[in-house]
Each structure stands twice: as structure tokens, then as C-alpha cells.
Amino acid sequence: MTDQPSSFFTQSTDETLKSLATTTDGLTQDQVAERLAKYGRNQLTETKRKSLFVRFLEQFKDFMIIVLLVAAMIAGFLAHEWPDAIIILAVVILNAVFGVFQEAKAEQAIDALKEMATPDAHVRRNGQIVKIKSEELVVGDIVLLEAGDIVPADLRLLESAALKIEESALTGESVPVDKTVATLTDPESGIGDRTNMAFMNSNVTYGRGVGVVTGTGMQTEVGKIAGMLNQAGETTTPLQMNLSQLGKSLTIMILIIAAVVFVVGYLRHAQSPINMLLTSISLAVAAIPEGLPAIVTVILALGTQKMVKRNALVRKLPAVETLGSTDIIASDKTGTLTMNQMTVEKIFTNNQLQEASADLASDDLALSIMNLANDTKITEDGQLIGDPTETALIAYGRDKGFVIQDALAAAPRVGEVPFDSERKLMTTIHQAKDGQLLMTTKGAPDELLKRVSHFIDANGDVQPLDEDERQFLLKTNHDLAKQALRVLALAYKPLDSLPATINPTIEDELIFAGLVGMIDPERPEAKQAVTDAHSAGIRTLMITGDHRDTAEAIALRLGIITPEQDADAAVVTGAELDQMDDETFAKKVSQYAVYARVAPEHKVRIVKAWQKHGKVVAMTGDGVNDAPALKSADIGIGMGITGTEVSKGASDMVLADDNFSTIVVAVKEGRKVFANIQKSIQYLLSANLGEVLTLFMMTILGWQILQPVHILWINLVTDTFPAITLGVEPTEPGIMNQKPRGRKSNFFSGGVFQAIIYQGLLEGGITLGVYALAITYPVHQASGLAHADALTMAYATLGMIQLFHAFNVKSVHQSIFTVGFFKNKAFNWAVLASFLLLAATIMVPGLNGLFHVSHLDIHQWGIVLAASFSLIVIVEIVKFFQRRMAK
């Protein structure tokens, strides 16, 4: 017996049994025990999970988090600003707890794979048929299959009686595969072409069969996918990279500022060296936007809530923003771009081709045949159960007013010749109440036409089939097949009596009645979604296990391939990919829009090839075969209705409605989320720069310095509330006409960095100007009171100016009059609440002593308000000239 899986599909049944050291009577109990001990149980294994504590510690690896922890230590132990330290630590710990919670929810892909395994299997051991748990199966076991079973392991088929197995979750092909026992000759055949194999966790939809187990557990095709999931590393999202980059930039800036303040203060002998060190550390702590991680988390969480309302369920918070930077959407075809439901699209009857939507009489002969020669079961509540092709025919009959139950009641089935994959036909015989017998046949057009002698013409008359008519019918079939339609031919024959022997020999001298063309059609909204994605600069790819012609036809209908493109060059198969090395594929990857007949490893390779080009890749899918690529992509998007638990578990986001257009909505939301995070960062950093400049210049000029409690209250009140509510700003017009940001962009792109610098300088300069004005023209002549008033006015101005500035950052370049002052109600309330909390520290008796501030009169408040509002006027003027220069 071989120790490793082999290409059993290229071996004959006898060769397979010999190489597996088994017989058609099955294994003995001793053989089973020996193999179970050697190869283990038929179940999937997984990598060792990290403990909760380890996951918690890993949350502190982020560079920004490290910066905040160092700041907390400095604030507490050196600067003795314990309130600052406690707040920073609280933010960091809450952030870590939230991260662990999100990770715990994401580790479900392998569990779902394990749960998919069928609980029981019928096997032949010692010549006896027994029922066992599927996990007890071993290589060499003989397994019996029938309709409704889930295949318990990978099998080489030994017997097949009209056996059909639905493998869409593994291969992506929506139509059940006809299985045979014939030996295949091509060792490079993909999974979808291995018609003599049955794969673990696929579904038997029709017929019966017998197979020998060739692989169990991790040695099955599903097991290989599980192994790929175990090995797939977590991708770093653009958001995570941007936050890391921001943290490093801030650290460098903060160190430089602290060093400069220390050196300048020391050289001017402003304070003792130790006091100057504490002053520079306090200033550095003020420069850190300690609320940033929490604010980003809140904005992402708010984004997820909005997306839930649009049927997009986000499992990992950074995925919200990642969508906004997506360059490529690599979409599975079946169930994602298409309905995953076979549908009649063309009907050829009375020698004329017409659309399925055209009027058709309920007693049309072609319509009757497709319904009578059909094994679909109908439940009491009207559900159709059976082969998807046959259920599509019954559904079409219903739409045209043909009631199959009534038809069978009037003409019950009295004989049949079941479908088999060699002759590709099925026949039923029906007896009417008047004693007349009708034989109906449906199947592959080329095979059925060999048995046809007559046809029904346009007038409904039966005519002899001549060569011209035969060629016309073959051409019609060919034209339909070129459109990627699955075509069935329909024929009948009146019988005088029931044949003594009912077998395929009765399928002769048939009268041709018509053709029916079916396809798994594109979703109605998918074409518009592809167009919208293209307008947003996003390229849509189709990745499918389906046949090349079918994939190409659907891609043309959706607009993934345009008529101007060379369709042949835009489509590549998995077999062709295997012939390319990574370097060749990397050069050609941009020319391909459609990937057909691909295996799971191909999907991962496609995703990684685009990622090597610096593209942000979103991968959609619903099958087990999609899981590794979903996990490898920058954002994996699973399908909530048709998707397997495996694909959902490996995804960052799940579409509750399986609607491809929901992805475009989610992309728009993702872009809005990034823009709003940018606004919050612009607001926070310009505010912090204003604070740093104010403290720095006060130190240099020898003025009284704002107390740590002032900076802390401003950071808590005037920074945090508006920054959070900026996260729910409405989408700016034209956001979906912009090109994707891609990987190279960051939070400082698009003019944000320049805005932070000049707006921060303005905030600091105006605050210092108010302090200087208050000292120069004091209300109180006493020096102590004059300085107290000046400090209070500087404190009030620094807080107020940030609240006015919050209106500026609603848009980097657009005027506040275009964006709108008061559209965001949450923002309006946040600004009002922040103002009241800031004013309370000055105006409420008792609090002013706690905050080391004095009461201000109306004149002083007027100066504070006028100075603060001036920032809006100045920024509006700057934006005006920026827009003029851009034009």
C-alpha cells in the first residue's frame, strides 16, 4: 500500500485496489486497526491556538501602542502627571481587549471545516455492509454512495449508476458532475475534471455509486485546503500600516521637540536642568494624541454599524477601511456574480428559437417533455428537490402554467430508462387515460439527434428529418453552446403498447420537439456593480472553477471583459497557469480578467501576484475552495446565504444578502471611513501641534506655562468628542469618482500634512497672540491677576480655537459653506458639549480654583471668541487659493 496519495484518477479500478492493498469486499478489522493506528482518524487537524494571554500581549506589539506606553511611564514616573498616565494606560488596555475579542471571533475557519464532515458512512468490510462514523474510515475502505449522501472521504469510484455529485463548494462549478469509473489519461487534470473521483464533503445529488477511499483527513482535497488555511499568514491592512507609520513619525517629531526644548531652556537658564527635563517631557506627552487608537476604533465601529444596515457584516474592524483602498476585486463566479441557480434562457420549439420570456402555450410539446422526462421531487410546500438542471425545467414549466402534478395525474409514468453518462439520455413512458402511451426523451443534443427520424416544423406538423434540417438543428445547438448555455434536446414517440423490455434500444425513431438552453445567470444588479467599481478605478476579476467558455460568456455579459478586448487573451485556465512560473505570471497578470477551471492554490497565487504589484486585493467567495484566498487577500468577503461556514470563517467581511453590488456600497463606506479618520487625525495633530507650539514658545519667552491639568482637560474635552463625531461625517460628493488610494497612500496624503502644519501653527500663534494681548492690555493692574487672566484667556482660546477648527477639517479643500456647517447632528452636539465643559472650568464657582484659572469678563470672552473664530476665516481664505491653484 502506498504511503502518499497518488494520481488514482489515472489508474484503473484494479490498479487502484492493488496499490491500496484492498479488495471490493473491503478491509478486515485487523487491516482497519493497523491503518487507523498508522494514518490516524479521518478528521482535520489544526495549528496550535494561541492562549488568550498570548493574544492579549500581542496587542502591544503595535508601534503606536509602544509609544503610548512609554509616554504613560514618562508621564507618571518622571513628570508625575498620573492622570495623564492613567488615561493613556486605560486607552491602551481597552484597545487590546477589543483586539483580542475581534481575533477570537475570527478563528473559526478550521472549526467549520471539521464540523462539515458527515457523521456516518456506509462501508463494506469483510464482505458485509456496515454503518460507521466517517472519522473511522481508513484508506482502502469500500464506501457506498447514494443520492442525498455527503461524500465522507476522497474516493476512486469503482461503480457508478447515473451518479452525479455537486462539487461547487470545492470547485466553484454550479452544475453537478456526471461521474464515471473510466480511467483518465491526463495526469494534469484539475479537480473539476476528475470525473472518476468523489471528494470529501461534496454532495451526491443523483444515482448511486461505490468507491474506494484514497485519502482521509488532511490527505483529502479539503484537508489540503485546511493545511493552506493553517499556513496562511495574516495580512497587514493599509490602515494598520498607516497607523504604524504615523506612530513612527510622531515619535521622531516628539523626540526632536523634547530635545530642542530641553537644550534651549537649559542654555537660557530658564529652569534647573531637572525641571527643564520634566518640562520637555510634559511637552512631549502633550504632543501625543493618546486618544487616537480609541478614536480610530470608534470610527471603524461606527462604520461597521452603518454597513450592517446595508447587509455587509464586518468581522474585523480594519476591513472597513481596507475596502476604501481596494484596487482589485477578485470575485468568485458561482453564487457571487451569478445566481447559483440554473435558469432556462432560450427555448427552441416548433423549429423556432425564442427567449425563455416569450409567450409559450402551457400545452407546448417541448414544455411537456422537459417536465415529464424529469426526476425532480416536489415537497408539500412546493419546494423542488433534485438535480439543478431538472429543477430549472420544472420551475420554467411552472412559470408557463404547466402543472407537473396534474400532468402526471393524467398520464402517470409507467416505465423509464434512467440517465447514464455514457449515452447521455433519459427516457420516461407515460400512459394517458385513453390508453395512449407517450415516450419522452431528453438529453445531449448530439446523442439524441442520432436517434431522431422526424421533427416538428413551424406549423406544428411532423416532418421527416432531412440532412438540411439536421444541420440546422446542430448549428442552433452550437450557437447556443457558444453562449455558454447548457443545452438539452427534447424528443418523443407515441407507442402502441408498453415494450416487453424497457432498455435504451427503445430510444429510436424519435420525433424531435425542441431544444432548451440553460445557464446560471448573472445577478441582475451585478453588471451595474461592475460598472460602478470600474468608475471608482477598481478592476473586477472573475475567478471560477467553471469551464472557460461559460466563464468568458458571463464575463462579457457583466462587462468584466469588454467587446473591445481580446476575450481569448483575457481568459486563462488553471492548467495554463500551471505552465507559467511566478515571474512569467507576474508579467502577464494584468492582462487577465477571467480565471477558469482553477484550483484553490491557483486562487491564492492570483491574489499574491496582484499584491506583489502593490495592489490592495479584495477576494469574494462562498465555497470551501475560496477559503485560502479569502484569508490571503487584503480583505476576504464571504457570502452569508450561499457561503459555507468555512468561507465565512476565513473572511473579514460577510455579505448578508450575497449581493455583489453590496461590495460597491461597502467600498464607498470604506472610503468615507478613511476620509473621516483622516479628518480626525488632521484635527487631533493640528490641535496637538498648536498645544506644543504654545508651550514651547511660553518656555522660550519665559511666560507662565499652561498647567498639565489645562492640557489634559483640553485633550479630553475639546479633542476627543469632536474627533469621534468627525467619524460620522456624511460622504463628500465625488468620492466614488476618485482612484483607489492603494498601498502607498497614508493619513498625510492629499494635502492633510500641509494642513496640519499651517493650521497647527495658526492655532499656536493665535493663542500666544491672545496671551500677549492680555499681558499688554490687562483688565487688572496687579501683576499676579494680570498673568492669571492672560493664562486663563490662553487656556480658553486654545480650547475654543480647536472647537472652531473642527468645522475647518470637515473637508481638506472644500469650503465649509459647501460642506455645510450643521449637517452632522452628532458633531454639533459634541462641539456644544465640549464648549460647555470647557466654559464650566472658568465660569462655575469652585472649578476655577481646581483648574488654576480666573473669571473672565464679557470683554475678555469677546477677545477669546473673536480670536478663535478668526481661524475659520483664515483657513477659508487658504482653501480658496488652494482650489484656484488646483484648477
Side-chain angles (χ1 to χ4, degrees):
M1 177 185 156
T2 57
D3 281 355
Q4 296 295 330
S6 181
S7 301
F8 293 106
F9 56 91
T10 62
Q11 298 181 13
S12 69
T13 54
D14 290 339
E15 289 171 339
T16 301
L17 290 170
K18 184 177 179 181
S19 63
L20 296 174
T22 188
T23 69
T24 54
D25 286 333
L27 302 170
T28 65
Q29 282 305 119
D30 289 343
Q31 288 176 309
V32 170
E34 179 187 338
R35 296 182 186 194
L36 204 57
K38 184 174 182 180
Y39 298 106
R41 302 177 79 81
N42 179 31
Q43 57 190 20
L44 304 177
T45 59
E46 58 181 291
T47 53
K48 187 178 179 182
R49 297 284 176 87
K50 296 173 183 175
S51 69
L52 198 64
F53 181 68
V54 170
R55 288 183 184 181
F56 181 75
L57 289 180
E58 286 187 343
Q59 301 302 313
F60 297 93
K61 292 193 301 185
D62 183 82
F63 196 78
M64 186 67 179
I65 299 298
I66 294 171
V67 171
L68 290 171
L69 287 173
V70 172
M73 292 173 63
I74 291 172
F77 292 105
L78 293 180
H80 302 293
E81 295 178 8
W82 288 107
D84 244 350
I86 291 169
I87 289 167
I88 294 171
L89 285 173
V91 167
V92 168
I93 291 170
L94 281 172
N95 199 59
V97 170
F98 199 85
V100 170
F101 176 71
Q102 288 293 320
E103 263 191 36
K105 287 172 61 181
E107 293 296 331
Q108 296 170 356
I110 302 299
D111 292 338
L113 273 170
K114 293 171 74 175
E115 289 168 6
M116 282 180 63
T118 178
D120 297 307
H122 290 88
V123 301
R124 191 182 294 144
R125 288 181 175 173
N126 288 322
Q128 301 294 316
I129 296 175
V130 294
K131 183 178 176 182
I132 64 169
K133 289 189 177 296
S134 63
E135 62 184 35
E136 296 173 7
L137 280 174
V138 295
V139 171
D141 262 326
I142 305 298
V143 177
L144 283 65
L145 300 173
E146 60 181 33
D149 285 352
I150 299 174
V151 180
D154 282 4
L155 311 175
R156 168 61 165 95
L157 294 173
L158 306 175
E159 299 175 24
S160 174
L163 183 64
K164 293 186 180 184
I165 298 180
E166 192 267 312
E167 300 174 341
S168 65
L170 189 64
T171 66
E173 187 170 358
S174 55
V175 179
V177 181
D178 295 321
K179 294 296 184 178
T180 70
V181 298
T183 305
L184 302 180
T185 56
D186 183 4
E188 301 300 320
S189 296
I191 294 174
D193 296 317
R194 297 176 193 174
T195 53
N196 58 11
M197 299 289 293
F199 300 107
M200 185 178 185
N201 291 340
S202 55
N203 302 296
V204 180
T205 62
Y206 193 88
R208 57 184 177 79
V210 177
V212 57
V213 176
T214 58
T216 60
M218 297 301 287
Q219 297 302 318
T220 63
E221 294 299 328
V222 169
K224 293 174 186 176
I225 294 173
M228 292 166 70
L229 281 173
N230 283 335
Q231 295 168 13
E234 293 292 334
T235 55
T236 303
T237 70
L239 176 66
Q240 291 165 327
M241 288 189 287
N242 282 335
L243 283 175
S244 176
Q245 186 181 54
L246 177 60
K248 291 174 183 176
S249 302
L250 283 176
T251 303
I252 294 169
M253 180 183 74
I254 289 165
L255 291 174
I256 291 172
I257 290 170
V260 168
V261 168
F262 177 78
V263 170
V264 171
Y266 177 74
L267 293 176
R268 289 189 76 256
H269 304 290
Q271 299 179 39
S272 66
I274 188 64
N275 285 335
M276 275 312 307
L277 177 62
L278 292 174
T279 299
S280 61
I281 289 171
S282 298
L283 189 149
V285 170
I288 296 176
E290 61 271 358
L292 181 59
I295 288 168
V296 169
T297 300
V298 169
I299 292 174
L300 290 174
L302 292 171
T304 65
Q305 290 177 12
K306 290 205 72 173
M307 292 172 76
V308 165
K309 294 176 183 176
R310 304 298 294 270
N311 293 311
L313 313 176
V314 177
R315 300 180 66 251
K316 301 177 183 176
L317 281 185
V320 181
E321 181 277 332
T322 308
L323 272 169
S325 58
T326 299
D327 298 286
I328 305 290
I329 299 177
S331 175
D332 183 47
K333 177 184 77 69
T334 305
T336 308
L337 290 165
T338 65
M339 301 288 290
N340 195 20
Q341 181 180 342
M342 292 299 288
T343 304
V344 175
E345 187 158 292
K346 304 275 188 177
I347 179 77
F348 181 87
T349 183
N350 292 329
N351 223 34
Q352 296 176 15
L353 183 65
Q354 55 192 29
E355 297 293 328
S357 58
D359 291 336
L360 193 67
S362 61
D363 61 350
D364 181 90
L365 198 50
L367 190 65
S368 299
I369 294 168
M370 71 175 73
N371 279 267
L372 291 171
N374 198 308
D375 286 331
T376 297
K377 301 289 186 292
I378 305 176
T379 64
E380 291 182 4
D381 60 355
Q383 294 292 315
L384 304 180
I385 299 173
D387 181 273
T389 301
E390 294 200 327
T391 58
L393 297 176
I394 296 293
Y396 180 65
R398 278 181 179 176
D399 291 342
K400 299 303 178 183
F402 186 93
V403 182
I404 183 62
Q405 295 94 327
D406 294 347
L408 289 173
R413 185 185 296 190
V414 295
E416 63 182 289
V417 183
F419 174 87
D420 72 54
S421 56
E422 292 187 13
R423 77 182 207 290
K424 299 180 181 177
L425 300 171
M426 80 166 287
T427 293
T428 61
I429 302 173
H430 301 266
Q431 184 166 25
K433 290 179 181 177
D434 60 3
Q436 290 287 88
L437 289 167
L438 177 70
M439 186 177 89
T440 64
T441 302
K442 82 172 192 304
D446 52 344
E447 292 295 327
L448 187 139
L449 282 170
K450 294 175 184 177
R451 297 161 171 82
V452 168
S453 60
H454 292 74
F455 75 102
I456 301 174
D457 67 13
N459 298 318
D461 299 325
V462 176
Q463 303 287 352
L465 182 71
D466 57 23
E467 188 58 30
D468 287 344
E469 179 65 21
R470 183 183 297 276
Q471 292 304 317
F472 170 65
L473 296 177
L474 287 171
K475 182 180 183 304
T476 303
N477 172 52
H478 179 69
D479 290 344
L480 292 173
K482 278 179 66 178
Q483 298 172 47
L485 298 178
R486 184 176 190 188
V487 185
L488 290 177
L490 309 164
Y492 73 102
K493 181 170 72 171
L495 297 175
D496 295 326
S497 61
L498 195 65
T501 304
I502 300 176
N503 58 40
T505 60
I506 67 173
E507 296 169 339
D508 65 345
E509 297 297 315
L510 300 175
I511 302 169
F512 184 86
L515 298 167
V516 58
M518 291 168 286
I519 197 169
D520 176 14
E522 70 274 17
R523 288 179 171 273
E525 67 285 341
K527 184 172 184 178
Q528 185 59 48
V530 171
T531 302
D532 292 344
H534 181 73
S535 299
I538 300 168
R539 185 171 179 182
T540 303
L541 309 177
M542 179 192 289
I543 302 180
T544 178
D546 225 332
H547 289 281
R548 182 188 186 114
D549 291 345
T550 305
E552 182 180 321
I554 293 291
L556 281 165
R557 289 161 63 148
L558 287 169
I560 293 173
I561 300 176
T562 61
E564 298 77 33
Q565 281 181 278
D566 180 354
D568 288 338
V571 183
V572 65
T573 65
E576 291 168 336
L577 278 181
D578 288 333
Q579 304 303 314
M580 296 184 212
D581 57 30
D582 288 342
E583 186 177 347
T584 304
F585 180 44
K587 290 178 181 176
K588 293 186 173 183
V589 69
S590 59
Q591 83 179 50
Y592 301 127
V594 177
Y595 298 83
R597 303 303 278 173
V598 294
E601 56 269 23
H602 292 137
K603 296 186 178 188
V604 175
R605 191 178 173 200
I606 294 162
V607 168
K608 290 187 175 179
W610 279 106
Q611 287 174 331
K612 286 179 182 176
H613 280 261
K615 301 297 184 183
V616 178
V617 182
M619 167 75 186
T620 73
D622 61 352
V624 177
N625 59 321
D626 298 317
L630 289 170
K631 199 167 183 182
S632 298
D634 295 285
I635 174 165
I637 307 170
M639 300 293 126
I641 299 173
T642 59
T644 61
E645 289 304 312
V646 182
S647 62
K648 289 185 234 179
S651 299
D652 302 295
M653 185 177 86
V654 176
L655 303 183
D657 57 358
D658 286 14
N659 191 332
F660 185 81
S661 64
T662 302
I663 299 171
V664 178
V665 173
V667 167
K668 184 177 181 180
E669 188 65 29
R671 290 187 175 189
K672 184 185 82 171
V673 164
F674 180 84
N676 287 348
I677 291 175
Q678 249 189 337
K679 292 169 187 175
S680 295
I681 288 174
Q682 179 187 344
Y683 175 66
L684 287 172
L685 295 190
S686 57
N688 283 29
L689 179 59
E691 293 169 12
V692 168
L693 179 64
T694 301
L695 290 173
F696 177 74
M697 292 306 299
M698 282 181 165
T699 302
I700 298 300
L701 296 171
W703 293 351
Q704 279 193 321
I705 300 174
L706 289 169
Q707 300 287 322
V709 70
H710 297 151
I711 299 299
L712 177 60
W713 191 249
I714 289 172
N715 283 352
L716 276 178
V717 174
T718 63
D719 279 10
T720 307
F721 295 154
I724 290 174
T725 52
L726 280 168
V728 292
E729 275 291 300
T731 307
E732 288 188 50
I735 199 167
M736 286 300 284
N737 294 325
Q738 301 169 7
K739 290 183 178 180
R741 296 191 321 277
R743 293 187 184 279
K744 294 183 180 179
S745 72
N746 56 51
F747 290 122
F748 297 133
S749 302
V752 172
F753 179 74
Q754 295 92 323
I756 289 171
I757 298 300
Y758 89 81
Q759 290 164 9
L761 292 175
L762 281 172
E763 286 188 38
I766 291 170
T767 302
L768 291 168
V770 169
Y771 184 94
L773 183 67
I775 285 292
T776 307
Y777 304 100
V779 173
H780 301 95
Q781 296 305 312
S783 176
L785 291 174
H787 279 93
D789 284 353
L791 199 64
T792 302
M793 290 176 69
Y795 161 64
T797 302
L798 191 56
M800 287 294 299
I801 203 169
Q802 291 180 16
L803 295 180
F804 280 109
H805 180 50
F807 289 93
N808 287 325
V809 300
K810 281 172 171 276
S811 176
V812 178
H813 299 296
Q814 294 297 317
S815 167
I816 185 61
F817 298 101
T818 301
V819 177
F821 270 94
F822 305 114
K823 287 183 179 179
N824 184 347
K825 291 182 180 178
F827 174 83
N828 299 335
W829 285 110
V831 170
L832 179 60
S834 296
F835 168 73
L836 293 174
L837 288 169
L838 178 69
T841 61
I842 300 171
M843 301 174 71
V844 175
L847 286 180
N848 55 352
L850 185 65
F851 280 84
H852 312 292
V853 294
S854 61
H855 287 291
L856 301 179
D857 61 24
I858 294 177
H859 174 70
Q860 290 170 317
W861 272 113
I863 293 172
V864 168
L865 289 170
S868 302
F869 183 77
S870 69
L871 186 64
I872 288 183
V873 178
I874 297 169
V875 171
E876 280 294 306
I877 294 170
V878 173
K879 285 182 180 180
F880 173 77
F881 285 107
Q882 285 179 333
R883 291 193 298 272
R884 289 288 298 271
M885 291 172 66
K887 288 180 181 179

